[in-house]
Amino acid sequence: IRSWGSSFTSPREAWGGSSQAVAQAISLALQRANIDARQLDHINASAKGAVVFDRNEAHGIAQVAPATRVTALKGFLGDSGAPTGLLELCGSLVGIAEGRVPMTLNCLDPIDIVLATQDWERPLFVKLTMNPHGPAAAILFEVEPTQP
C-alpha cells in the first residue's frame, strides 16, 4: 500500500453516494503519495449496480482521473456486503499476477471502462470503495512487476 485517502460528504440524492467524497478520497491518496492521476494504471471502482450511485462514482472519478481506465468487478461477484471491496481488490491482484486488468461486465459509462481484459501497463492502481450514505475511501497500491 503506497497511500490512502478517505472523505465523507452528504449525498445529494438518497442512496446515491457522493461524487465529491469519491473525488476527495482519490485526490488525497494521490497527494499523499505525490502521484499524478496520469501515472495510474487503473481504478478498481466500487460500482454498486445502481444507476444514481454508479453515476455519482463515475463523476467523482472523472473529476480527478478523467483519462484513467476503470474496472468494476461487481457484475461478476454481486454485492456481498462488507467483504465486497476485498473481493474486488483480489480481482486486481490476480490481474497483476497475469499482467492483465480484469474487464467490467454489464456496464456502459462515459468514463474509460475496461470492457475487455487489457494488458497491465503501470505499477500503480487505486481500489475505491464507497457507501450510498456519503463516505468514500481510496487505497493506492504500488506493485512490483513479476519476473517471467
Side-chain angles (χ1 to χ4, degrees):
I1 295 175
R2 172 89 181 258
S3 179
W4 65 276
S6 65
S7 179
F8 180 90
T9 60
S10 296
R12 293 187 175 164
E13 302 164 279
W15 296 91
S18 170
S19 60
Q20 183 180 0
V22 168
Q24 289 173 349
I26 296 169
S27 291
L28 186 55
L30 294 172
Q31 288 170 11
R32 285 180 170 155
N34 196 27
I35 296 292
D36 184 278
R38 292 172 291 193
Q39 294 174 262
L40 295 175
D41 183 79
H42 70 280
I43 294 174
N44 183 322
S46 187
K48 193 163 187 63
V51 174
V52 172
F53 182 93
D54 291 350
R55 181 192 67 222
N56 289 338
E57 183 179 29
H59 286 286
I61 292 169
Q63 287 175 39
V64 179
T68 302
R69 56 190 174 170
V70 177
T71 189
L73 303 179
K74 201 160 282 135
F76 292 104
L77 303 169
D79 192 337
S80 303
T84 301
L86 288 175
L87 294 170
E88 294 166 346
L89 172 60
C90 289
S92 284
L93 296 176
V94 168
I96 292 167
E98 297 177 358
R100 309 286 279 167
V101 178
M103 65 180 274
T104 301
L105 183 65
N106 299 328
C107 181
L108 298 174
D109 204 282
I111 59 177
D112 187 9
I113 295 290
V114 178
L115 296 176
T117 302
Q118 298 177 7
D119 289 338
W120 193 278
E121 297 173 1
R122 297 177 199 90
L124 299 164
F125 78 95
V126 167
K127 173 57 189 134
L128 179 63
T129 187
M130 62 184 285
N131 178 289
H133 304 293
I139 302 175
L140 174 64
F141 290 87
E142 184 169 18
V143 296
E144 294 291 326
T146 56
Q147 301 298 321

